[in-house]
PDB file of all heavy atoms in Angstrom:
ATOM      1  N   LYS A 148     -33.634  -8.996  -6.042  1.00 98.00           N
ATOM      2  CA  LYS A 148     -33.781  -9.974  -7.032  1.00 98.00           C
ATOM      3  C   LYS A 148     -32.544 -10.103  -8.025  1.00 98.00           C
ATOM      4  O   LYS A 148     -32.084 -11.222  -8.275  1.00 98.00           O
ATOM      5  CB  LYS A 148     -35.076  -9.741  -7.846  1.00 98.00           C
ATOM      6  CG  LYS A 148     -35.305 -10.837  -8.942  1.00 98.00           C
ATOM      7  CD  LYS A 148     -36.661 -10.506  -9.684  1.00 98.00           C
ATOM      8  CE  LYS A 148     -36.896 -11.572 -10.725  1.00 98.00           C
ATOM      9  NZ  LYS A 148     -38.189 -11.280 -11.481  1.00 98.00           N
ATOM     10  N   ALA A 149     -32.177  -8.867  -8.412  1.00 98.00           N
ATOM     11  CA  ALA A 149     -31.034  -8.866  -9.305  1.00 98.00           C
ATOM     12  C   ALA A 149     -29.742  -9.484  -8.662  1.00 98.00           C
ATOM     13  O   ALA A 149     -29.029 -10.147  -9.347  1.00 98.00           O
ATOM     14  CB  ALA A 149     -30.770  -7.453  -9.897  1.00 98.00           C
ATOM     15  N   LEU A 150     -29.521  -9.064  -7.459  1.00 98.00           N
ATOM     16  CA  LEU A 150     -28.331  -9.574  -6.854  1.00 98.00           C
ATOM     17  C   LEU A 150     -28.393 -11.027  -6.427  1.00 98.00           C
ATOM     18  O   LEU A 150     -27.435 -11.779  -6.375  1.00 98.00           O
ATOM     19  CB  LEU A 150     -28.016  -8.737  -5.505  1.00 98.00           C
ATOM     20  CG  LEU A 150     -27.545  -7.287  -5.846  1.00 98.00           C
ATOM     21  CD1 LEU A 150     -27.040  -6.659  -4.605  1.00 98.00           C
ATOM     22  CD2 LEU A 150     -26.542  -7.248  -6.927  1.00 98.00           C
ATOM     23  N   ALA A 151     -29.680 -11.488  -6.189  1.00 98.00           N
ATOM     24  CA  ALA A 151     -29.845 -12.928  -5.833  1.00 98.00           C
ATOM     25  C   ALA A 151     -29.605 -13.846  -7.052  1.00 98.00           C
ATOM     26  O   ALA A 151     -29.285 -15.011  -6.898  1.00 98.00           O
ATOM     27  CB  ALA A 151     -31.226 -13.201  -5.277  1.00 98.00           C
ATOM     28  N   SER A 152     -29.502 -13.212  -8.184  1.00 98.00           N
ATOM     29  CA  SER A 152     -29.294 -13.952  -9.403  1.00 98.00           C
ATOM     30  C   SER A 152     -27.878 -14.162  -9.672  1.00 98.00           C
ATOM     31  O   SER A 152     -27.463 -14.930 -10.612  1.00 98.00           O
ATOM     32  CB  SER A 152     -29.908 -13.294 -10.588  1.00 98.00           C
ATOM     33  OG  SER A 152     -29.158 -12.167 -11.053  1.00 98.00           O
ATOM     34  N   ALA A 153     -26.975 -13.523  -8.916  1.00 98.00           N
ATOM     35  CA  ALA A 153     -25.593 -13.570  -9.198  1.00 98.00           C
ATOM     36  C   ALA A 153     -24.861 -14.569  -8.214  1.00 98.00           C
ATOM     37  O   ALA A 153     -25.491 -14.874  -7.081  1.00 98.00           O
ATOM     38  CB  ALA A 153     -24.896 -12.143  -8.981  1.00 98.00           C
ATOM     39  N   SER A 154     -23.727 -15.065  -8.557  1.00 97.00           N
ATOM     40  CA  SER A 154     -22.996 -16.141  -7.743  1.00 97.00           C
ATOM     41  C   SER A 154     -21.860 -15.382  -7.000  1.00 97.00           C
ATOM     42  O   SER A 154     -21.542 -14.263  -7.335  1.00 97.00           O
ATOM     43  CB  SER A 154     -22.443 -17.071  -8.669  1.00 97.00           C
ATOM     44  OG  SER A 154     -21.407 -16.540  -9.439  1.00 97.00           O
ATOM     45  N   PRO A 155     -21.395 -16.114  -5.941  1.00 97.00           N
ATOM     46  CA  PRO A 155     -20.176 -15.539  -5.327  1.00 97.00           C
ATOM     47  C   PRO A 155     -19.050 -15.170  -6.226  1.00 97.00           C
ATOM     48  O   PRO A 155     -18.354 -14.157  -6.077  1.00 97.00           O
ATOM     49  CB  PRO A 155     -19.797 -16.625  -4.344  1.00 97.00           C
ATOM     50  CG  PRO A 155     -21.054 -17.365  -4.039  1.00 97.00           C
ATOM     51  CD  PRO A 155     -21.885 -17.279  -5.353  1.00 97.00           C
ATOM     52  N   GLU A 156     -18.919 -15.981  -7.245  1.00 97.00           N
ATOM     53  CA  GLU A 156     -17.824 -15.751  -8.252  1.00 97.00           C
ATOM     54  C   GLU A 156     -18.047 -14.414  -9.038  1.00 97.00           C
ATOM     55  O   GLU A 156     -17.081 -13.690  -9.302  1.00 97.00           O
ATOM     56  CB  GLU A 156     -17.692 -16.953  -9.268  1.00 97.00           C
ATOM     57  CG  GLU A 156     -17.164 -18.305  -8.614  1.00 97.00           C
ATOM     58  CD  GLU A 156     -18.240 -18.947  -7.679  1.00 97.00           C
ATOM     59  OE1 GLU A 156     -19.431 -18.729  -7.936  1.00 97.00           O
ATOM     60  OE2 GLU A 156     -17.785 -19.641  -6.777  1.00 97.00           O
ATOM     61  N   ASP A 157     -19.365 -14.223  -9.221  1.00 97.00           N
ATOM     62  CA  ASP A 157     -19.546 -12.966  -9.951  1.00 97.00           C
ATOM     63  C   ASP A 157     -19.226 -11.794  -9.127  1.00 97.00           C
ATOM     64  O   ASP A 157     -18.653 -10.760  -9.622  1.00 97.00           O
ATOM     65  CB  ASP A 157     -21.193 -12.873 -10.222  1.00 97.00           C
ATOM     66  CG  ASP A 157     -21.636 -13.877 -11.223  1.00 97.00           C
ATOM     67  OD1 ASP A 157     -20.831 -14.196 -12.173  1.00 97.00           O
ATOM     68  OD2 ASP A 157     -22.748 -14.341 -11.174  1.00 97.00           O
ATOM     69  N   PHE A 158     -19.507 -11.762  -7.832  1.00 98.00           N
ATOM     70  CA  PHE A 158     -19.187 -10.712  -6.962  1.00 98.00           C
ATOM     71  C   PHE A 158     -17.651 -10.552  -6.692  1.00 98.00           C
ATOM     72  O   PHE A 158     -17.061  -9.509  -6.622  1.00 98.00           O
ATOM     73  CB  PHE A 158     -19.926 -10.716  -5.611  1.00 98.00           C
ATOM     74  CG  PHE A 158     -21.414 -10.541  -5.729  1.00 98.00           C
ATOM     75  CD1 PHE A 158     -22.246 -11.491  -5.330  1.00 98.00           C
ATOM     76  CD2 PHE A 158     -21.895  -9.404  -6.221  1.00 98.00           C
ATOM     77  CE1 PHE A 158     -23.600 -11.316  -5.407  1.00 98.00           C
ATOM     78  CE2 PHE A 158     -23.288  -9.202  -6.394  1.00 98.00           C
ATOM     79  CZ  PHE A 158     -24.129 -10.126  -6.011  1.00 98.00           C
ATOM     80  N   ALA A 159     -17.000 -11.743  -6.649  1.00 97.00           N
ATOM     81  CA  ALA A 159     -15.594 -11.807  -6.519  1.00 97.00           C
ATOM     82  C   ALA A 159     -15.007 -11.039  -7.639  1.00 97.00           C
ATOM     83  O   ALA A 159     -13.953 -10.323  -7.551  1.00 97.00           O
ATOM     84  CB  ALA A 159     -15.069 -13.187  -6.310  1.00 97.00           C
TER      85      ALA A 159
END
Side-chain angles (χ1 to χ4, degrees):
Chain A
K148 179 178 182 180
L150 292 190
S152 73
S154 68
E156 291 72 25
D157 292 328
F158 292 122

